[in-house]
Amino acid sequence: MSFAYFDWIAHHAEVRGDKTALVDLTTQRRLSYHTLDERTDRLAAHLVGLGVKRGERVAVLAPNTTDILEVQFACFRLAAIFVPLNTRLTVHELHFILSDAAPVVLVHDHEFAPMAQQLQRLCSIAHRMEFGRPYEEALAASRRLESHEAVSLDDISTIMYTSGTTGKPKGAMITHGMTFINAVNLGIPALISQRTIFLCVLPLFHTGGLNCYTNPVLHAGGTAIIMRAFDPGESLRIIGDASIGLTHFFGVPSIYQFMCQHAAFAKTDLSRLQIAGVGGAPMPVPLLKIWQDRGCALVQGYGMTETSPAVMMLDPEDAARKAGSAGKPVLHGDLKIVDAEGHPVEPGDVGELWVKGPNITPGYWNRPDANRSSFTDGWLHTGDAARVDEEGFYYIVDRTKDMYISGGENVYPAEVEDVLYQLPAIAEAAVIGAPDPTWGETGLAVIALKSGHEITEAQVIGHCRERLARFKCPQRIVFIDALPRNATGKVHKPTLRDIFLASEKALS
């Protein structure tokens, strides 16, 4: 896709300049498209003065703020590359990422100033800029950008570093075309338009926060409300406030779990939500039914950082009938389910999902080794186990790396976790495979209970044995206060393995 990329913000500033583009909940700042366009131009001009030019990287380390989006669009106008950084990472982890990306500028929030100063020194970053007063003074002192760099849809716009659960993080290269295609692939089935009002609660350094649905909403000329960090009570208040008129929301499963456990959930008016999307991890069917009973059918989808992210989505009219499905392929993209040799499997059989199309990353920054191992004839290996039913609806069974083998049988933890969530006492549950001398591996269920509830290990195992084949049932239950989660709220199973399996190995 080599045709020219057109600037969404500049277009909307010309056509509907007074329309509200962004709302920052922390500062209560409201930016019209005209104001956003001007601030983006001034920031871009300031970055040029710092030596940022085509292909140079600009990194951002900050919690959610509308300023992050200004940095993104300023990079787009300069044909520079936007590098959002995970705020939960340590200096050691960020040192690796910044050494790899080699940005000219590091932009950061005040609370990360000490870390940013250390990283600037460690990684020899030429310039550092802080949001707040220094940032505003830089914009005020800058004139508007004289001209925008010409970019094509094939040019890299963003580098997003994956979590790196196996080895070092990899920087997925995101092109302007991928971001545009995602706005189309998600925008059409999610009913995104100029009238959309969306609440962003996922971190903007993650593709879920940036592209589900913040960028598609801005592409369409709608309004995005930015929450600094997810708060279940405040989210419910905004959803239920008729004066705000929220139409769209997106979260990972835990976001919906925390909201439905909040005291305000039962009385919150959900009727104005046109789309409540969910993705990022397998969604427990019992949790889907809780929201469905409130008249809100959560719309499931599937994607990855490397895929823009949309790969498939469930149409709203199928959300209740096909609860648990991630839907069907998006308009612009292709997929298939294959066996270990790369051959397509039969409908109903489980295999690895492979994807291909204009929504797929061209590769990883500075990682030719990862590019060779992650692609086959242009098909990206997702690492996710999936199946397709007789109607063509796809189901993500689990991460292939989370699957374990017990007595020669494949066990997908997400299926077991679905059953665990049927127990009213359970707030959070995760299953991992633990070494077993007889069966090779058996299930270890790590569970956090709801406040004021009790349940025994025997009761949990008994519940599972009534509903699952014996080899799928967890052999052991561990109760903890809360499950470890990553920045987007997904349960972080590598941490669970480190805690429970490492300690067992030490004792053996």
Side-chain angles (χ1 to χ4, degrees):
M1 295 185 299
S2 58
F3 56 91
Y5 167 82
F6 294 96
D7 190 314
W8 320 334
I9 305 306
H11 168 81
H12 293 307
E14 179 181 359
V15 176
R16 52 189 63 82
D18 293 335
K19 171 77 181 294
T20 299
L22 294 169
V23 179
D24 192 305
L25 287 175
T26 299
T27 62
Q28 289 299 301
R29 181 170 57 190
R30 302 177 71 89
L31 299 177
S32 68
Y33 275 101
H34 175 78
T35 303
L36 176 59
D37 179 52
E38 181 177 350
R39 287 174 61 86
T40 299
D41 249 1
R42 289 178 180 274
L43 174 60
H46 178 72
L47 293 175
V48 168
L50 297 181
V52 176
K53 54 185 183 294
R54 176 180 291 273
E56 298 283 6
R57 277 74 64 203
V58 177
V60 178
L61 181 65
N64 280 4
T65 165
T66 55
D67 294 340
I68 293 175
L69 295 162
E70 292 173 357
V71 176
Q72 175 192 238
F73 288 115
C75 287
F76 288 6
R77 290 182 179 181
L78 299 176
I81 299 174
F82 173 58
V83 185
L85 301 172
N86 187 333
T87 57
R88 290 192 174 186
L89 298 182
T90 64
V91 168
H92 175 76
E93 292 166 312
L94 290 171
H95 182 193
F96 171 83
I97 290 172
L98 289 170
S99 296
D100 188 57
V104 174
V105 182
L106 172 59
V107 190
H108 61 90
D109 188 84
H110 176 71
E111 70 175 276
F112 290 98
M115 182 180 287
Q117 291 168 5
Q118 189 176 357
L119 288 166
Q120 181 183 24
R121 185 178 65 256
L122 288 171
C123 304
S124 301
I125 300 171
H127 301 282
R128 182 172 56 83
M129 182 164 58
E130 185 174 310
F131 285 140
R133 185 173 178 178
Y135 180 83
E136 295 300 327
E137 289 177 347
L139 266 61
S142 299
R143 295 183 177 182
R144 295 198 64 159
L145 193 66
E146 292 184 3
S147 63
H148 298 178
E149 284 288 322
V151 296
S152 77
L153 294 182
D154 293 325
D155 287 332
I156 299 168
S157 68
T158 306
I159 301 174
M160 278 193 166
Y161 281 82
T162 59
S163 57
T165 54
T166 56
K168 296 291 187 182
K170 302 190 297 287
M173 295 185 289
I174 312 299
T175 66
H176 287 280
M178 290 170 63
T179 305
F180 166 70
I181 287 293
N182 182 70
V184 176
N185 280 341
L186 273 187
I188 294 174
L191 311 177
I192 292 171
S193 72
Q194 295 167 24
R195 293 175 293 280
T196 295
I197 302 175
F198 167 65
L199 175 61
C200 172
V201 300
L202 294 180
L204 289 169
F205 62 71
H206 188 274
T207 190
L210 194 61
N211 296 309
C212 301
Y213 306 111
T214 306
N215 270 331
V217 168
L218 295 174
H219 174 264
T223 300
I225 302 171
I226 309 300
M227 183 178 285
R228 185 175 178 88
F230 170 66
D231 179 278
E234 179 65 2
S235 297
L236 288 169
R237 184 194 68 77
I238 292 169
I239 290 170
D241 189 335
S243 67
I244 295 174
L246 198 77
T247 62
H248 286 66
F249 187 85
F250 187 91
V252 295
S254 62
I255 295 288
Y256 289 100
Q257 182 181 345
F258 294 144
M259 285 199 292
C260 76
Q261 291 172 357
H262 194 278
F265 177 70
K267 295 182 179 179
T268 299
D269 183 0
L270 308 175
S271 63
R272 284 176 293 276
L273 278 179
Q274 296 175 14
I275 294 289
V278 62
M283 182 71 170
V285 174
L287 183 55
L288 285 169
K289 291 181 177 177
I290 289 173
W291 281 81
Q292 185 180 325
D293 289 344
R294 286 293 332 277
C296 183
L298 304 185
V299 177
Q300 292 203 91
Y302 167 82
M304 303 170 63
T305 300
E306 293 91 337
T307 63
S308 309
V311 169
M312 59 183 82
M313 183 173 172
L314 194 62
D315 283 340
E317 56 266 29
D318 293 315
R321 184 176 71 90
K322 287 291 184 177
S325 170
K328 293 185 176 183
V330 292
L331 177 61
H332 300 290
D334 198 7
L335 53 84
K336 62 181 178 179
I337 300 173
V338 302
D339 61 20
E341 285 73 43
H343 303 131
V345 302
E346 295 295 324
D349 290 346
V350 174
E352 184 184 4
L353 182 69
W354 286 10
V355 294
K356 188 177 187 179
N359 55 335
I360 308 303
T361 180
Y364 298 100
W365 184 260
N366 292 335
R367 291 294 297 274
D369 56 329
N371 295 336
R372 285 190 296 270
S373 62
S374 300
F375 295 87
T376 298
D377 298 329
W379 290 92
L380 173 68
H381 308 174
T382 69
D384 285 312
R387 63 178 176 86
V388 61
D389 69 14
E390 66 283 353
E391 294 183 65
F393 287 88
Y394 285 77
Y395 294 77
I396 303 302
V397 178
D398 214 337
R399 292 290 295 166
T400 53
K401 63 181 176 57
D402 286 340
M403 181 200 81
Y404 63 90
I405 301 174
S406 185
E409 299 280 0
N410 293 348
V411 181
Y412 294 95
E415 181 184 6
V416 184
E417 291 157 6
D418 243 10
V419 171
L420 292 172
Y421 275 115
Q422 294 171 7
L423 290 165
I426 291 180
E428 304 177 278
V431 175
I432 56 177
D436 183 273
T438 303
W439 304 108
E441 289 179 293
T442 55
L444 168 62
V446 185
I447 291 171
L449 298 179
K450 294 177 183 175
S451 178
H453 288 71
E454 293 182 0
I455 195 169
T456 66
E457 179 178 25
Q459 288 172 320
V460 173
I461 292 175
H463 170 81
C464 291
R465 287 181 176 173
E466 291 176 1
R467 293 162 176 80
L468 293 167
R470 194 65 172 247
F471 69 87
K472 297 179 183 179
C473 293
Q475 296 297 299
R476 192 155 61 88
I477 311 295
V478 175
F479 295 100
I480 62 174
D481 293 334
L483 270 59
R485 296 181 179 274
N486 66 13
T488 60
K490 293 190 285 187
V491 173
H492 196 242
K493 290 191 175 179
T495 298
L496 290 177
R497 294 187 188 99
D498 288 343
I499 294 171
F500 296 103
L501 303 189
S503 61
E504 290 187 356
K505 287 179 182 177
L507 294 171
S508 61

